[in-house]
Amino acid sequence: MNTFKAALAASTMMGAVTAASAVELEVTHWWTSGGEAAAVAEFAKAFEEKTDHTWVDGAIAGGGNTARPVMISRITGGDPMGATQFNHGRQTEELVEAGLMRPLTGLAEEEGWKDIVRPASLLDSCTVDGEIYCVPVNIHSWEWLWLSNKAFEEAGVPVPSNWDEFVAAAPALEEAGKIPLAIGGQPWQIGGAFRVLVASLGGPELYQQVYGDKNAEVAGGPEMAKIFKAADDARKMAAKSTVQDWNQATNLVITDEAGGQIMGDWAQGEFQVAGETAGEDYTCLPGLGVHQVLSTGGDAFYFPKVEDEEIAKAQEELASVMLDPEVQVAFNLKKGSVPVRGDVDLAAANDCMKKGLAILENGTLVPSGEQLMSQDALNQINDLMAQFFSTPSMTAEDAQKRFVDIVGSAT
């Protein structure tokens, strides 16, 4: 923690040379796929149209696990950007505690964020000791199974309506030359898919007990044993999936080379860029077609402290733009996520987004993994599941035993 505090003095001395009012504001994020780039461009366009400032794009390829260390290093090292993306949850705890992030409480109170941001847990995740430190921009949920309608048609089987039907269709898909389950080789994708199995097949209570309560006894119990059996089915179905990036796996579904993919609703952006139509070209099953459950994770933007008052003003203007109703709709329609505002017009929402909105209003919501567990514990689980998927000799029982140890020591 001393390193964070020591960096505070250095970081507050930083800041770009700006004109009297116009600012070039660097914004870092990890949105680099086709759908993501189209979505973030909506933020950049709106910021420049609604203010006198310039958006300087700081995209970092490789996803959050690659980008986050770079972002944190810059902030703690005295080279802060104007704004930076993180996920809702606990990823910025030390940065906030060290005083390196700018509070937005005054702006939030002025604009009534507590009245417009839903669910309330999103703003709660931005709040530390009564101060609001981030602006939530979307609701992303992991609990989706994306299916290629044509792949199942070519395999001569109906499009599944739930996980069990998907597993049962795997032999027919393989016989037709399809990969039943597309998944990238990066640990965060496999660990994320595992959390989906827990929440969607095991249900919200099991998910909360394991990831929220860190109950090692439950983690080692019979209900979790069923989840590890499902994970074993998943790794067999994904045995011939050799891609690394998540959007490459999504592309296997888009091109009908794979039957399905477990991935968050950001995958929708890739289907949209490819010209695919929800309900016609592809099918989406929230909660894997079993439990109508979605997690309330997503993305938020934080604003590192800088000494330059013009930059500070531009930071607040960007935060305000990101919650503008029209901007919320434009961004989220391209991102595949759901707006954090409950008062926006979503007449243009597609079939899958409508399913998500219905669950948001009437279904079961659970916190994201990042809201419940430290990033270190989640990374340990991700690494374990990646090893499980790549090591056929590791039994489900062995993986569950190691999982119990991680859960028991998690914070």
Side-chain angles (χ1 to χ4, degrees), residues 367-379:
S368 68
E370 289 79 9
Q371 291 172 298
L372 296 175
M373 260 189 190
S374 68
Q375 194 62 49
D376 177 65
L378 289 176
N379 286 342

Side-chain angles (χ1 to χ4, degrees), residues 152 155 157 164-178 180 237:
F152 288 95
V157 291
D164 287 342
E165 292 178 5
F166 180 46
V167 175
L173 289 167
E174 290 177 331
E175 191 172 326
K178 311 291 183 183
M237 295 167 69

Side-chain angles (χ1 to χ4, degrees), residues 18-231:
T18 64
S21 58
V23 166
E24 291 186 352
L25 196 72
E26 182 190 11
V27 184
T28 56
H29 58 87
W30 54 78
W31 290 328
T32 57
S33 74
E36 291 173 327
V40 76
E42 294 293 336
F43 276 153
K45 179 178 72 173
F47 181 57
E48 296 189 348
E49 287 179 350
K50 294 177 180 292
T51 73
D52 295 326
H53 311 307
T54 301
W55 172 293
V56 179
D57 200 69
I60 302 174
N65 287 345
T66 299
R68 272 191 298 270
V70 176
M71 295 165 174
I72 292 171
S73 177
R74 283 191 54 184
I75 295 168
T76 59
D79 181 28
M81 62 295 290
T84 188
Q85 170 198 9
F86 285 104
N87 295 124
H88 302 314
R90 300 173 55 184
Q91 294 173 350
T92 61
E93 281 180 337
E94 291 186 321
L95 294 172
V96 170
E97 290 171 1
L100 293 171
M101 307 306 277
R102 176 178 299 281
L104 303 171
T105 312
L107 176 67
E109 291 176 350
E110 180 184 337
E111 297 189 346
W113 290 5
K114 287 186 178 180
D115 297 324
I116 60 175
V117 173
R118 56 79 194 261
S121 60
L122 297 183
L123 208 55
D124 291 343
S125 293
C126 292
T127 305
V128 179
D129 296 331
E131 296 280 359
I132 296 172
Y133 285 92
C134 68
V135 51
V137 297
N138 60 13
I139 302 169
H140 263 317
S141 51
W142 253 100
E143 293 76 19
W144 295 85
L145 177 60
W146 307 94
L147 302 169
S148 162
N149 290 358
K150 187 175 180 181
F152 288 95
E153 179 185 341
E154 293 179 347
V157 291
V159 176
S161 62
N162 58 51
W163 175 257
D164 287 342
E165 292 178 5
F166 180 46
V167 175
L173 289 167
E174 290 177 331
E175 191 172 326
K178 311 291 183 183
I179 301 168
L181 178 64
I183 191 166
Q186 297 160 337
W188 71 268
Q189 298 179 56
I190 303 171
F194 179 74
R195 288 202 304 277
V196 172
L197 294 175
V198 176
S200 301
L201 304 183
E205 183 177 353
L206 179 66
Y207 174 81
Q208 176 63 38
Q209 289 174 327
V210 173
Y211 285 92
D213 302 337
K214 290 88 174 175
N215 189 319
E217 183 177 350
V218 173
E223 292 306 308
M224 277 303 300
K226 295 177 184 177
I227 303 302
F228 275 91
K229 169 61 171 63

